[in-house]
Amino acid sequence: MPHRVVVLALDGILPFELGIPQRIFGSARGQGPLDEGRALYETVTCSVRAPGPVRTDADFSILVERGPEALATADTVVIPASYELGPVQEEGRLTGELTSALARVRPGTRLVAICTGAYVLGAAGLLDGRPATTHWSSADHFQRLFPKILVDPGVLFVDDGDVLTSAGVAAGIDLCLHLVRRDHGTAVANAVARSTVVPPHRDGGQAQYIRRPVPERGSAATTAARAWALGRLEQPILLRDLARQESMSVRTFTRRFRDEVGVSPGQWITQQRVERARHLLECSDLSVDQVAREAGFGTATSLRQHVQAALGVSPTVYRRTFRATTAGR
């Protein structure tokens, strides 16, 4: 059976964020010979009340056809942001409706909050002692209201295993893509990214508030340098060579790159090399030594260190996990 995702639509919900899980998970299709084209997730929406209209923050309401009983069927529950959280956001306590609804969630169900949806998990006590994030503009208030939560105000999302939280709006896309990648591997996640025309990977630790995400008219960007680097990840890439692609000094290029991408050039290159390694481990029969060379890590030892740091497992375990997943679908 497909993994069942239940999205909880609360009054005041943001339509954009409500649509993210349906679009991302709904686009995930099997890539293996036995499951090519098969839907990997079933995504449904429910309310805390009986089926009926739910207000949005726009000039329309939506008709939700499922009540809170759907939460009992979920493998993953997603709570998008709402602008009408009332005592949840003002006092850090759940309403009676929310308490009853969340009580239906089975133990072990994966919980995901997008943006200020994290207030619901916080008010339920589900984030106490755990790392979490929310929209940068709400992070200070969130921390004051829930002092037991380890709030990281700067990152795109936090994966704490069975509980995940994201920053606002587009970071919800990053988090849902991350879950697809975690569940089914890079090839499936990249196919979803291509179909939805979004970047295939932004690391959870990337800064959520980038000062200049779009270069000013007439100012130089770093796009050409990034494209140049992606074409030669297996080779040594020096900072001065990246800067040369944009005819900038190293100092100017480094500052501009961080402003546009949110991380340093070195961090970005490492992220891209890990993604290349993931793809090769999933989709090729290259040895670990060969993967290390093709991804630009040089040695198997370096590959193991970076993959372990990024993914929490060794290259061999990662390959075995996703090879077994593909074969068993």
Side-chain angles (χ1 to χ4, degrees):
M1 295 292 292
H3 183 102
R4 187 173 174 88
V5 178
V6 178
V7 183
L8 182 59
L10 303 173
D11 281 325
I13 198 160
L14 282 66
F16 180 90
E17 297 182 23
L18 174 63
I20 289 172
Q22 185 67 247
R23 188 68 180 91
I24 299 300
F25 296 121
S27 300
R29 295 290 186 270
Q31 303 287 308
L34 300 180
D35 69 343
E36 185 172 1
R38 180 176 68 86
L40 299 176
Y41 299 89
E42 178 189 15
T43 307
V44 301
T45 305
C46 77
S47 170
V48 294
R49 301 184 295 272
V54 172
R55 295 188 302 275
T56 73
D57 77 324
D59 62 344
F60 58 83
S61 295
I62 57 172
L63 180 62
V64 177
E65 299 181 353
R66 293 176 178 84
E69 63 278 357
L71 293 168
T73 70
D75 299 306
T76 294
V77 171
V78 180
I79 306 175
S82 165
Y83 281 154
E84 296 183 23
L85 290 175
V88 174
Q89 193 163 7
E90 295 164 6
E91 304 169 31
R93 64 175 179 86
L94 296 177
T95 62
E97 283 183 330
L98 262 174
T99 298
S100 298
L102 294 177
R104 297 174 180 267
V105 179
R106 296 173 298 176
T109 300
R110 186 165 62 188
L111 302 174
V112 178
I114 298 176
C115 192
T116 56
Y119 278 86
V120 176
L121 298 184
L126 297 170
L127 295 176
D128 287 354
R130 307 184 73 152
T133 193
T134 188
H135 193 284
W136 60 267
S137 66
S138 299
D140 288 344
H141 176 262
F142 187 66
Q143 182 68 90
R144 290 194 302 272
L145 194 63
F146 304 112
K148 294 181 181 179
I149 300 175
L150 309 176
V151 180
D152 189 337
V155 299
L156 291 178
F157 60 84
V158 172
D159 180 345
D160 196 37
D162 59 338
V163 180
L164 302 93
T165 51
S166 85
V169 197
I173 298 175
D174 297 307
L175 177 53
C176 289
L177 277 173
H178 167 75
L179 283 171
V180 173
R181 186 178 296 107
R182 197 178 94 172
D183 291 345
H184 298 287
T186 300
V188 174
N190 286 353
V192 173
R194 285 194 299 273
S195 72
T196 50
V197 199
V198 296
H201 179 71
R202 289 201 298 169
D203 185 74
Q206 186 167 321
Q208 62 171 284
Y209 184 54
I210 301 172
R211 285 181 292 162
R212 189 169 57 248
V214 179
E216 298 174 3
R217 183 182 297 272
S219 67
T222 60
T223 306
R226 279 177 273 152
W228 178 84
L230 288 174
R232 48 183 47 78
L233 285 175
E234 74 283 0
Q235 303 174 25
I237 299 175
L238 301 178
L239 187 55
R240 65 172 180 266
D241 294 329
L242 287 168
R244 189 178 300 120
Q245 304 307 310
E246 305 291 356
S247 300
M248 297 181 189
S249 69
V250 168
R251 182 176 180 181
T252 298
F253 176 83
T254 302
R255 183 180 69 251
R256 187 67 53 78
F257 192 99
R258 185 179 286 277
D259 285 347
E260 292 175 4
V261 182
V263 294
S264 71
Q267 290 171 316
W268 180 83
I269 290 170
T270 297
Q271 290 171 3
Q272 304 313 308
R273 284 175 167 158
V274 169
E275 285 303 296
R276 171 77 63 84
R278 291 173 75 158
H279 175 76
L280 293 173
L281 290 167
E282 291 177 31
C283 304
S284 79
D285 294 319
L286 296 177
S287 69
V288 171
D289 286 312
Q290 290 172 314
V291 170
R293 289 193 294 272
E294 290 292 322
F297 288 116
T299 67
T301 299
S302 179
L303 173 67
R304 290 187 189 99
Q305 290 173 343
H306 285 94
V307 170
Q308 183 74 42
L311 308 179
V313 296
S314 69
T316 302
V317 170
Y318 182 85
R319 167 173 273 171
R320 184 165 59 242
T321 299
F322 284 102
R323 285 290 177 85
T325 300
T326 300
R329 288 180 196 153

